[in-house]
Protein backbone atom coordinates (compact mmCIF):
# COMPACT_ATOMS: atom_id res chain seq x y z
CA UNK A 1 0.00 0.00 0.00
CA UNK A 2 1.36 3.46 -0.86
CA UNK A 3 0.98 5.54 2.27
CA UNK A 4 0.66 8.75 0.31
CA UNK A 5 -2.16 7.31 -1.81
CA UNK A 6 -3.94 6.19 1.37
CA UNK A 7 -3.53 9.65 2.92
CA UNK A 8 -4.71 11.33 -0.30
CA UNK A 9 -7.82 9.10 -0.41
CA UNK A 10 -8.69 9.91 3.21
CA UNK A 11 -8.15 13.64 2.62
CA UNK A 12 -10.24 13.68 -0.56
CA UNK A 13 -13.13 11.91 1.20
CA UNK A 14 -13.24 14.67 3.84
CA UNK A 15 -14.29 17.21 1.20
CA UNK A 16 -17.84 15.86 1.35
CA UNK A 17 -18.17 17.42 4.84
CA UNK A 18 -17.29 20.90 3.58
CA UNK A 19 -20.05 23.34 2.67
CA UNK A 20 -20.21 26.90 1.39
CA UNK A 21 -20.06 29.47 4.18
CA UNK A 22 -18.19 27.28 6.65
CA UNK A 23 -15.27 28.31 8.81
CA UNK A 24 -12.81 25.42 8.82
CA UNK A 25 -10.01 24.42 11.17
CA UNK A 26 -7.07 23.22 9.10
CA UNK A 27 -5.00 20.48 10.72
CA UNK A 28 -1.28 19.86 10.57
CA UNK A 29 0.80 17.04 9.13
CA UNK A 30 1.22 15.27 5.81
CA UNK A 31 -2.39 14.00 5.58
CA UNK A 32 -3.85 17.39 6.55
CA UNK A 33 -1.55 18.95 3.93
CA UNK A 34 -3.25 16.84 1.22
CA UNK A 35 -6.62 18.09 2.47
CA UNK A 36 -5.42 21.71 2.25
CA UNK A 37 -4.28 21.04 -1.32
CA UNK A 38 -7.67 19.56 -2.33
CA UNK A 39 -9.52 22.35 -0.54
CA UNK A 40 -7.57 24.93 -2.54
CA UNK A 41 -8.76 23.22 -5.76
CA UNK A 42 -12.37 23.45 -4.56
CA UNK A 43 -11.91 27.14 -3.69
CA UNK A 44 -10.51 27.75 -7.17
CA UNK A 45 -13.75 26.14 -8.46
CA UNK A 46 -15.90 28.53 -6.42
CA UNK A 47 -16.20 27.07 -2.89
CA UNK A 48 -16.62 29.88 -0.34
CA UNK A 49 -15.03 29.15 3.04
CA UNK A 50 -12.75 30.76 5.59
CA UNK A 51 -10.15 28.87 7.55
CA UNK A 52 -8.04 28.99 10.67
CA UNK A 53 -4.76 27.02 10.63
CA UNK A 54 -3.49 24.92 13.53
CA UNK A 55 0.20 25.65 12.94
CA UNK A 56 2.55 28.08 11.25
CA UNK A 57 3.40 25.32 8.73
CA UNK A 58 -0.25 24.97 7.74
CA UNK A 59 -0.67 28.74 7.70
CA UNK A 60 2.19 29.05 5.20
CA UNK A 61 0.80 26.26 3.02
CA UNK A 62 -2.75 27.64 3.06
CA UNK A 63 -1.48 31.16 2.34
CA UNK A 64 0.55 29.91 -0.61
CA UNK A 65 -2.59 28.22 -2.02
CA UNK A 66 -4.67 31.36 -1.58
CA UNK A 67 -7.03 29.92 1.03
CA UNK A 68 -8.78 32.79 2.88
CA UNK A 69 -7.51 32.73 6.48
CA UNK A 70 -8.89 34.52 9.50
CA UNK A 71 -6.96 35.28 12.69
CA UNK A 72 -7.99 32.92 15.47
CA UNK A 73 -8.97 35.95 17.61
CA UNK A 74 -11.64 36.86 15.04
CA UNK A 75 -13.19 33.40 14.87
CA UNK A 76 -16.75 33.23 16.20
CA UNK A 77 -17.61 29.69 15.20
CA UNK A 78 -15.66 26.83 13.64
CA UNK A 79 -18.02 24.48 11.82
CA UNK A 80 -15.54 21.75 10.98
CA UNK A 81 -11.93 20.82 11.67
CA UNK A 82 -10.16 18.29 9.48
CA UNK A 83 -6.95 16.95 10.96
CA UNK A 84 -4.68 13.90 10.95
CA UNK A 85 -3.72 11.61 13.81
CA UNK A 86 -0.83 9.41 14.89
CA UNK A 87 -3.07 6.70 16.38
CA UNK A 88 -6.82 6.09 16.45
CA UNK A 89 -8.44 3.56 18.78
CA UNK A 90 -11.80 1.78 18.25
CA UNK A 91 -13.62 4.58 20.16
CA UNK A 92 -12.06 7.33 18.02
CA UNK A 93 -9.73 8.37 20.80
CA UNK A 94 -6.50 9.69 19.36
CA UNK A 95 -2.83 10.28 19.90
CA UNK A 96 -1.79 13.48 18.13
CA UNK A 97 1.22 15.75 18.17
CA UNK A 98 3.73 13.84 16.08
CA UNK A 99 4.18 17.10 14.18
CA UNK A 100 4.35 19.12 17.40
CA UNK A 101 1.16 21.11 16.79
CA UNK A 102 -0.98 19.43 19.47
CA UNK A 103 -1.80 22.56 21.50
CA UNK A 104 -3.24 24.59 18.63
CA UNK A 105 -4.80 21.45 17.16
CA UNK A 106 -6.61 20.72 20.42
CA UNK A 107 -7.79 24.31 20.92
CA UNK A 108 -9.23 24.43 17.40
CA UNK A 109 -10.71 20.89 17.45
CA UNK A 110 -12.31 21.50 20.84
CA UNK A 111 -13.90 24.72 19.56
CA UNK A 112 -15.29 23.05 16.43
CA UNK A 113 -18.81 21.76 15.85
CA UNK A 114 -17.29 18.66 14.23
CA UNK A 115 -13.81 17.13 14.14
CA UNK A 116 -13.13 14.86 11.17
CA UNK A 117 -9.95 12.79 11.42
CA UNK A 118 -8.21 11.72 8.24
CA UNK A 119 -5.52 9.06 8.26
CA UNK A 120 -4.12 6.11 6.41
CA UNK A 121 -5.52 2.86 7.77
CA UNK A 122 -2.23 1.94 9.49
CA UNK A 123 -3.05 4.55 12.17
CA UNK A 124 -5.90 2.42 13.46
CA UNK A 125 -4.90 0.50 16.64
CA UNK A 126 -6.63 -1.62 19.28
CA UNK A 127 -5.02 0.21 22.22
CA UNK A 128 -3.32 3.62 22.16
CA UNK A 129 0.35 3.87 23.07
CA UNK A 130 2.59 2.29 20.47
CA UNK A 131 3.21 5.78 19.09
CA UNK A 132 5.12 7.82 21.71
CA UNK A 133 2.69 10.21 23.41
CA UNK A 134 3.73 13.85 22.85
CA UNK A 135 3.42 16.11 25.91
CA UNK A 136 4.03 19.85 25.44
CA UNK A 137 5.81 21.43 28.43
CA UNK A 138 7.23 24.81 29.35
CA UNK A 139 11.02 25.06 28.96
CA UNK A 140 11.21 26.35 32.54
CA UNK A 141 11.56 23.39 34.86
CA UNK A 142 11.17 20.82 32.12
CA UNK A 143 13.37 18.22 33.85
CA UNK A 144 11.16 18.46 36.96
CA UNK A 145 8.06 18.26 34.77
CA UNK A 146 9.50 15.24 32.93
CA UNK A 147 9.81 13.34 36.23
CA UNK A 148 6.21 14.19 37.13
CA UNK A 149 5.09 13.04 33.68
CA UNK A 150 6.95 9.75 34.17
CA UNK A 151 5.25 9.26 37.58
CA UNK A 152 1.81 10.11 36.14
CA UNK A 153 2.24 7.55 33.37
CA UNK A 154 3.33 4.87 35.84
CA UNK A 155 0.53 5.66 38.29
CA UNK A 156 -2.10 5.38 35.58
CA UNK A 157 -1.01 1.96 34.39
CA UNK A 158 1.76 2.47 31.84
CA UNK A 159 4.15 -0.35 32.72
CA UNK A 160 7.55 1.00 31.67
CA UNK A 161 7.33 4.60 30.48
CA UNK A 162 10.22 6.33 28.76
CA UNK A 163 10.23 10.14 28.67
CA UNK A 164 12.46 11.86 26.13
CA UNK A 165 12.93 15.51 25.16
CA UNK A 166 12.23 15.94 21.43
CA UNK A 167 15.16 17.39 19.51
CA UNK A 168 15.26 19.34 16.26
CA UNK A 169 15.81 17.17 13.19
CA UNK A 170 19.21 18.84 12.75
CA UNK A 171 20.11 17.44 16.19
CA UNK A 172 21.41 18.93 19.40
CA UNK A 173 18.82 21.59 20.24
CA UNK A 174 15.36 21.00 21.72
CA UNK A 175 12.49 21.07 19.22
CA UNK A 176 10.36 24.20 19.78
CA UNK A 177 6.61 24.30 19.19
CA UNK A 178 4.91 27.30 17.58
CA UNK A 179 4.30 28.52 21.14
CA UNK A 180 8.04 28.13 21.93
CA UNK A 181 7.53 25.22 24.29
CA UNK A 182 9.28 21.84 24.43
CA UNK A 183 7.83 18.40 23.64
CA UNK A 184 8.40 15.30 25.75
CA UNK A 185 7.89 12.15 23.68
CA UNK A 186 6.65 9.48 26.07
CA UNK A 187 7.22 5.86 25.15
CA UNK A 188 4.30 3.96 26.61
CA UNK A 189 3.88 0.71 24.68
CA UNK A 190 0.28 0.73 25.72
CA UNK A 191 -1.92 3.26 27.55
CA UNK A 192 -4.50 1.06 29.30
CA UNK A 193 -6.43 3.92 30.94
CA UNK A 194 -6.39 6.91 28.59
CA UNK A 195 -8.92 8.97 30.60
CA UNK A 196 -6.92 8.60 33.83
CA UNK A 197 -3.64 9.29 32.06
CA UNK A 198 -5.05 12.39 30.40
CA UNK A 199 -6.36 13.72 33.72
CA UNK A 200 -3.08 13.02 35.53
CA UNK A 201 -1.01 14.75 32.85
CA UNK A 202 -3.32 17.77 32.72
CA UNK A 203 -2.83 18.17 36.46
CA UNK A 204 0.95 18.67 36.32
CA UNK A 205 2.22 22.26 36.52
CA UNK A 206 4.49 22.78 33.50
CA UNK A 207 2.43 20.55 31.22
CA UNK A 208 0.89 22.87 28.63
CA UNK A 209 -1.05 20.13 26.80
CA UNK A 210 -0.83 16.45 25.99
CA UNK A 211 -1.51 14.53 22.81
CA UNK A 212 -4.43 12.42 24.04
CA UNK A 213 -7.50 13.65 22.16
CA UNK A 214 -10.32 11.79 23.90
CA UNK A 215 -14.00 11.96 22.89
CA UNK A 216 -13.30 14.72 20.38
CA UNK A 217 -13.52 13.08 16.95
CA UNK A 218 -16.99 12.18 15.70
CA UNK A 219 -15.91 11.06 12.22
CA UNK A 220 -12.82 9.09 11.24
CA UNK A 221 -11.85 8.57 7.61
CA UNK A 222 -9.38 5.76 7.00
CA UNK A 223 -7.76 5.70 3.60
CA UNK A 224 -6.09 2.88 1.72
CA UNK A 225 -4.94 2.22 -1.85
CA UNK A 226 -8.47 1.71 -3.08
CA UNK A 227 -10.39 4.52 -1.41
CA UNK A 228 -11.57 5.51 2.03
CA UNK A 229 -13.86 4.22 4.74
CA UNK A 230 -15.91 6.75 6.72
CA UNK A 231 -16.61 5.76 10.34
CA UNK A 232 -19.13 7.69 12.44
CA UNK A 233 -19.12 7.73 16.27
CA UNK A 234 -21.78 8.67 18.81
CA UNK A 235 -21.28 11.88 20.80
C1 LIG B 1 0.63 17.04 14.16
C2 LIG B 1 -0.30 15.90 14.21
C3 LIG B 1 -0.57 15.17 12.95
O1 LIG B 1 -1.91 15.22 12.67
C4 LIG B 1 -0.13 13.75 13.14
O2 LIG B 1 1.23 13.73 13.50
C5 LIG B 1 -0.33 12.94 11.85
O3 LIG B 1 0.55 13.38 10.87
P1 LIG B 1 0.64 12.71 9.44
O4 LIG B 1 -0.65 12.99 8.74
O5 LIG B 1 1.82 13.37 8.79
O6 LIG B 1 0.87 11.23 9.65
O7 LIG B 1 -0.88 15.56 15.23
O8 LIG B 1 0.84 17.59 15.42
Amino acid sequence: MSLDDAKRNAAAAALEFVEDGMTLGLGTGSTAAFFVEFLADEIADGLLIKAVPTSETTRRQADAYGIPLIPVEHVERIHLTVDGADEIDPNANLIKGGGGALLREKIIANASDLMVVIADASKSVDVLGQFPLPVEVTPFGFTITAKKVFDALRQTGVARPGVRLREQASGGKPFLTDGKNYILDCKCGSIPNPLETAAALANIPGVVEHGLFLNMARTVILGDDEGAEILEFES
Side-chain angles (χ1 to χ4, degrees):
M1 162 168 121
S2 147
L3 270 191
D4 273 355
D5 283 350
K7 290 175 186 187
R8 268 195 204 93
N9 286 337
L15 287 173
E16 79 173 56
F17 292 87
V18 179
E19 290 171 16
D20 263 340
M22 279 185 161
T23 297
L24 300 186
L26 300 179
T28 297
S30 55
T31 319
F34 284 128
F35 176 75
V36 171
E37 207 178 304
F38 296 144
L39 187 66
D41 291 342
E42 296 292 315
I43 289 170
D45 286 346
L47 176 73
L48 291 170
I49 58 102
K50 290 182 209 149
V52 55
T54 56
S55 64
E56 294 307 314
T57 303
T58 300
R59 178 193 305 285
R60 282 192 292 273
Q61 188 203 4
D63 241 351
Y65 281 128
I67 294 177
L69 297 178
I70 38 171
V72 67
E73 297 79 10
H74 296 176
V75 167
E76 282 172 11
R77 178 177 177 193
I78 304 172
H79 300 86
L80 166 69
T81 283
V82 178
D83 202 351
D86 299 301
E87 280 187 349
I88 305 160
D89 83 2
N91 298 313
N93 291 321
L94 316 171
I95 287 183
K96 283 185 53 57
L102 64 146
L103 174 61
R104 294 186 185 188
E105 289 172 335
K106 200 180 270 190
I107 291 171
I108 298 300
N110 187 56
S112 302
D113 296 349
L114 174 66
M115 179 190 197
V116 171
V117 174
I118 51 175
D120 65 85
S122 74
K123 304 287 184 66
S124 168
V125 298
D126 289 334
V127 179
L128 297 176
Q130 273 298 318
F131 189 92
L133 175 66
V135 178
E136 181 162 347
V137 299
T138 57
F140 181 86
F142 80 93
T143 53
I144 296 171
T145 309
K147 287 196 183 85
K148 296 285 181 190
V149 165
F150 177 91
D151 291 345
L153 293 170
R154 278 268 296 266
Q155 283 157 13
T156 59
V158 175
R160 280 180 294 282
V163 179
R164 216 165 151 264
L165 181 66
R166 187 180 296 183
E167 292 185 352
Q168 292 178 18
S170 49
K173 295 195 181 130
F175 172 91
L176 285 182
T177 66
D178 285 339
K180 306 277 180 275
N181 293 311
Y182 290 171
I183 299 262
L184 301 173
D185 286 310
C186 303
K187 205 164 128 264
C188 295
S190 124
I191 302 173
N193 308 301
L195 275 173
E196 286 86 339
T197 298
L201 291 173
N203 211 24
I204 299 171
V207 168
V208 179
E209 194 48 82
H210 57 76
L212 285 168
F213 284 49
L214 308 180
N215 300 314
M216 292 180 88
R218 292 287 156 256
T219 302
V220 173
I221 304 179
L222 295 177
D224 62 19
D225 268 353
E226 312 274 295
E229 184 185 12
I230 300 180
L231 307 169
E232 302 283 357
F233 294 83
E234 300 277 307
S235 48

